[in-house]
């Protein structure tokens, strides 16, 4: 299970054991989430500046010959569109955090059959009032 799926179960169960009905409802929620992720669309056109509010699904540090270390941010917007931002500087984003990003569309790609928009030159706003 992904961290998001684990968090759903944690929030719903609230430390209590779940019965068959609750487990079924959670399974349905996870299925809808996964199905939505499979319908991702590309955002904008290559070279275009976009602004989007996203949820940080995953942030992982990876080595880079050019920068030493970079952070790969896997992001998802409210319409279940997937984005990736390879961050070389600035404050790290936390998994589960909502962020408003302004950036440039670097390219459109596909991962496991899903459309992914790769963005660059981003400036994140994490102020909750701005979101």
């Amino acid at each position: 299970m992904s961290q998001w799926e684990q968090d759903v179960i944690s929030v719903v169960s609230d430390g209590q054991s779940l019965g068959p009905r609750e487990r079924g409802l959670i399974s349905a929620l996870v299925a809808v989430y996964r199905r939505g992720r499979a319908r991702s669309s590309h955002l904008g056109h290559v070279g275009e500046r976009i602004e989007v509010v996203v949820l940080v699904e995953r942030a992982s540090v990876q080595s880079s010959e050019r920068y030493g270390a970079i952070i790969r941010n896997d992001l998802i917007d409210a319409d279940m569109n997937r984005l990736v931002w390879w961050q070389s500087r600035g404050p790290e984003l936390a998994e589960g955090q909502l962020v408003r990003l302004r950036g440039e569309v670097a390219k459109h790609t596909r991962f496991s059959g899903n459309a992914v928009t790769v963005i660059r030159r981003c400036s994140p706003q994490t102020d909750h009032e701005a979101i």
Side-chain angles (χ1 to χ4, degrees):
M1 283 189 288
S2 72
Q3 185 61 48
W4 183 88
E5 292 164 340
Q6 291 174 27
D7 290 346
V8 167
I9 290 171
S10 163
V11 167
V12 173
S13 68
D14 195 25
Q16 302 172 17
S17 60
L18 301 174
R21 180 176 184 276
E22 289 82 8
R23 286 193 303 270
L25 289 171
I26 291 171
S27 295
L29 176 62
V30 169
V32 168
Y33 168 75
R34 286 180 175 165
R35 190 172 37 240
R37 285 184 66 192
R39 286 188 249 145
S40 179
S41 298
H42 291 126
L43 300 179
H45 300 285
V46 174
E48 180 181 5
R49 300 284 299 168
I50 63 170
E51 182 174 324
V52 63
V53 175
V54 294
L55 174 71
V56 180
E57 278 196 305
R58 184 173 310 128
S60 56
V61 177
Q62 300 181 356
S63 63
S64 164
E65 287 184 28
R66 183 173 181 180
Y67 297 105
I70 57 174
I71 302 168
R72 177 190 165 126
N73 294 294
D74 292 294
L75 313 163
I76 193 164
D77 73 4
D79 295 319
M80 304 304 266
N81 298 312
R82 299 184 68 194
L83 300 95
V84 172
W85 173 32
W86 297 89
Q87 182 182 6
S88 59
R89 62 178 177 244
E92 288 187 31
L93 303 179
E95 292 181 7
Q97 179 180 19
L98 277 178
V99 180
R100 179 183 303 275
L101 283 178
R102 290 186 183 109
E104 179 184 323
V105 176
K107 70 178 180 178
H108 293 141
T109 188
R110 297 191 87 70
F111 181 75
S112 298
N114 296 313
V116 178
T117 301
V118 180
I119 54 177
R120 64 180 173 202
R121 298 185 180 117
C122 293
S123 56
Q125 273 187 303
T126 56
D127 179 6
H128 295 292
E129 292 179 15
I131 298 174

